[in-house]
């Protein structure tokens, strides 16, 4: 049972890492030459931050054996990550299609790379968050 607890902590660690990379690449993408004219959606940044905070709180409190009251946090963080991923993808999908169709040059492709990486890391955070919710990470297990 010790391996199950270790696997859960590792999966939560990857979830937190992917969410942080997602928010970093979103901020980088919002400051690129092509996407600077679009406003930064603070809900995306706040959602990734709050989801990550929920993940960290859940891991910390599970190790302190206060788990019963916080079982909803992994579910909430997965829902928040999914909503953020959909919002991020929705805000960039038409511009990705426009760049790939009409403005395919080195500058716009470099700007596009940060958008695609940000979306990919957000999606990986969703997948890892769902996978992590299946692990019991309390010290007793």
């Amino acid at each position: 049972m010790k391996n199950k607890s270790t696997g859960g902590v590792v999966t939560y660690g990857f979830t937190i890492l992917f969410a942080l990379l997602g928010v970093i690449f979103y901020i980088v993408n919002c400051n690129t030459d092509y996407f600077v004219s679009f406003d930064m959606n603070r809900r995306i940044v706040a959602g990734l931050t709050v989801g990550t905070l929920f993940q960290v709180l859940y891991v910390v409190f599970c190790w302190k054996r206060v788990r019963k009251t916080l079982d909803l946090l992994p579910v909430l963080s997965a829902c928040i990550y999914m909503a953020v991923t959909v919002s991020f993808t929705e805000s960039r999908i038409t511009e990705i299609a426009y760049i790939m169709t009409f403005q395919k040059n080195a500058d716009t492709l470099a700007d596009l790379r940060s958008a695609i990486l940000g979306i990919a890391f957000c999606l990986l955070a969703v997948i890892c968050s769902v996978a992590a919710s299946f692990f019991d990470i309390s010290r007793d297990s």
Side-chain angles (χ1 to χ4, degrees):
M1 288 306 237
K2 193 84 163 159
N3 290 339
K4 188 175 178 185
S5 175
T6 304
V9 172
V10 169
T11 310
Y12 277 105
F14 278 128
T15 303
I16 292 166
L17 175 70
F18 290 146
L20 291 176
L21 287 172
V23 77
I24 288 169
F25 276 103
Y26 177 72
I27 292 171
V28 166
N29 181 251
C30 287
N31 293 317
T32 58
D33 289 337
Y34 187 82
F35 291 102
V36 76
S37 61
F38 300 97
D39 290 333
M40 183 183 301
N41 189 344
R42 299 198 192 287
R43 283 180 258 153
I44 293 174
V45 176
L48 286 168
T49 306
V50 168
T52 303
L53 179 67
F54 284 171
Q55 296 278 336
V56 170
L57 286 175
Y58 183 72
V59 170
V60 167
F61 284 122
C62 278
W63 281 98
K64 292 187 177 195
R65 296 186 178 113
V66 191
R67 180 172 176 232
K68 296 294 182 202
T69 58
L70 299 174
D71 278 342
L72 194 59
L73 288 181
V75 176
L76 286 175
S77 64
C79 292
I80 290 171
Y81 288 152
M82 190 65 223
V84 165
T85 302
V86 168
S87 180
F88 187 10
T89 304
E90 182 269 332
S91 69
R92 297 295 189 252
I93 196 73
T94 55
E95 298 307 316
I96 290 172
Y98 186 75
I99 288 171
M100 294 305 289
T101 305
F102 300 112
Q103 291 186 341
K104 197 172 184 181
N105 61 46
D107 292 334
T108 56
L109 288 177
D111 295 346
L112 181 64
R113 181 178 181 204
S114 61
I116 292 172
L117 284 173
I119 292 169
F121 281 125
C122 288
L123 187 60
L124 285 171
V126 170
I127 293 168
C128 285
S129 180
V130 170
S133 66
F134 289 103
F135 288 100
D136 183 15
I137 61 168
S138 64
R139 276 197 257 172
D140 296 335
S141 58

